[in-house]
Amino acid sequence: MFLTGFAALAVVPTLPTATADLHGVALFPLVAGCFVAASLLGGVLGGTWSDRSGARDPLAAGVVLTVLTLLVSAASTSIWQLAAGRFLDGLAAGLSAVAVNAAIGQAYPERLRPRVLALMSACWVIPSLVGPPVAGLVSELWSWRAVFYGLAALTALPALLLVPVLRRHAQPRTPDDRPPRPPLFIAAVVSVAAALGQYGVSGRDARHLLFVALAAALLIGFAPRLLPAGTWRALRGLPTTVLLRGLSSGTFFTLEAYVPLLLLTERHVDPVVSGFAFTGAAIAWAAGSWAQGRLLQHVPRHRVVVLGALVMSAAVALAVLGTHPTVPALTAAPAMPIAALGMGLLAPALTVLSLGHSPAGREGHTSSAMQTNQNLGQVAVLALASAVLNTCLSLGTTQLAAYAAAFTLLTAPVALLALLAARARAA
C-alpha cells in the first residue's frame, strides 16, 4: 500500500505535462476520468475473485498489472495510448483496493479491523509529502516518461514480495459454495458511463450535455445491479452503509477538485498553498483514521460516522464562507484538511460496518459494492456540483457566487450522512 501510494499520487501532477506533450490537451478530462471509471470494473472483478479463491491472487494481480500499465503509459506515443494506460491502471487499482479490504475481512477479527485500516491510511502520508514534488521535479528536469518508468520500478518491489505468499494458495471452495459469476457486462457499461460523465461535465455545449445525459441514463439503468438491493432507498444494514460510502466520498472529492480551483482562479492564491492543502489533507486523513482506531475504538462505528459527518459539515461551511469576497483569500484553504479529517474518521468506520454486515465468504463482494458506490459517488456528486456551477455561470452570476452555490449543494450529502448513520449500525 505504501509503494502503491507513491504510484497513485505521483502520476496525477504529471498528467497535464504528458497530455500536452502528446498534443491531447482537449482530451485531458477523458485521460483523468479513465482511472476512476476503470476502477469500477476492477472492483467487481476483485470482489468476486477474492470470494472465490481468497484475496491473495487478486491482490498480486493488481500489483503486477500496475507495473505493466505504468510501462504502457511511459511508452505512450499518442494520447489514446496514455488513456488506455490510465484505464488499465484504474482496473489494477480497483482489483488491489477491493482485495485489501477483503483480506482484512478474511484475516482479522472485527476488534482489530479499525487499527488495520488506520495503518492502511498511514501508508499514504509519506507518499503525499514526497510523491508529487519529486514527480514534478523529475518531469521538469528530465521527462514525464521518467516518472512512469521510475514508478514502475518502485512498484515492482511489492510484486516480488508477493511471490512467496502466492505459494500458499487458499483452499478452493466447493462448487456449491462458490459465489455467482460477476456481472462483467454490467460493470463494463457502468465504467464506460462513468468515463462519459467525467468527459461530459468538462464543458457546457450541446455535445457535452449529450454525453452527460447518456452517462446518467446508463448509470441509472445499470449501476443498481452492482449494489446491494435497497442501497438507494437506504435500507438498514449493508445497503445504507454502501450508500453512505458514496455520499461521503463524493463530498470529499468534490471539495478536493473545486477548492484548489477556487483558490487559484478566483482568490489568486499562490499555487504552493494548494500543494500544502493537499499535503495537509493526507496528514489529516491519517490522523482521523488513527483516532478512530485508537482513541475511539470502543465507540460504536455508526457514531463515529456521525462525528465524521459533523467534521465534514464544518469543511463545507468553510468552503462556502471562502467564496465571499470580503473574507481573507485563504479562508477556504483549510476546508480540504478538515474534510479529510472527517473522512479519516468515517471511511474506516464504514468499512468495518460493511465487513460486519457481510456474510462469511462474501467479503470480496461487499468490498466491491463499497468500492463501486465510492466511485459512483465521486462521479455523481462532482457532476451535480459542476452542473450547478455551470448553470449559475450561464445565468450571469459572478464566479464566486457560482462556487458558493456549488459548495452549498454539498450540505445535502453531508446531512444525509449524519441522519442515516444509525441505519448502518452493526447488528
Side-chain angles (χ1 to χ4, degrees), residues 228-232 234-244 373:
T231 294
W232 291 355
L235 295 186
R236 291 187 178 276
L238 184 60
T240 295
T241 308
V242 172
L243 174 65
L244 297 185
N373 211 42

Side-chain angles (χ1 to χ4, degrees), residues 10 34 65 71 139 218 286 309 313 386 393:
C34 277
L65 184 59
L71 294 176
S139 180
L218 291 175
S313 67
S386 300
L393 292 175

Side-chain angles (χ1 to χ4, degrees), residues 77-154:
T77 58
S78 70
I79 191 66
W80 294 107
Q81 182 177 343
L82 181 63
R86 293 301 294 154
F87 186 89
L88 293 174
D89 198 20
L91 186 68
L95 274 171
S96 299
V98 169
V100 165
N101 285 336
I104 292 171
Q106 292 169 359
Y108 290 90
E110 186 170 356
R111 63 183 178 84
L112 291 181
R113 290 172 187 169
R115 294 189 180 187
V116 180
L117 291 166
L119 180 61
M120 294 296 101
S121 296
C123 288
W124 287 77
V125 175
I126 293 179
S128 70
L129 296 173
V130 179
V134 170
L137 187 63
V138 171
S139 180
E140 181 178 352
L141 298 180
W142 196 356
S143 168
W144 61 267
R145 298 181 189 274
V147 175
F148 283 95
Y149 281 125
L151 289 171
L154 185 64

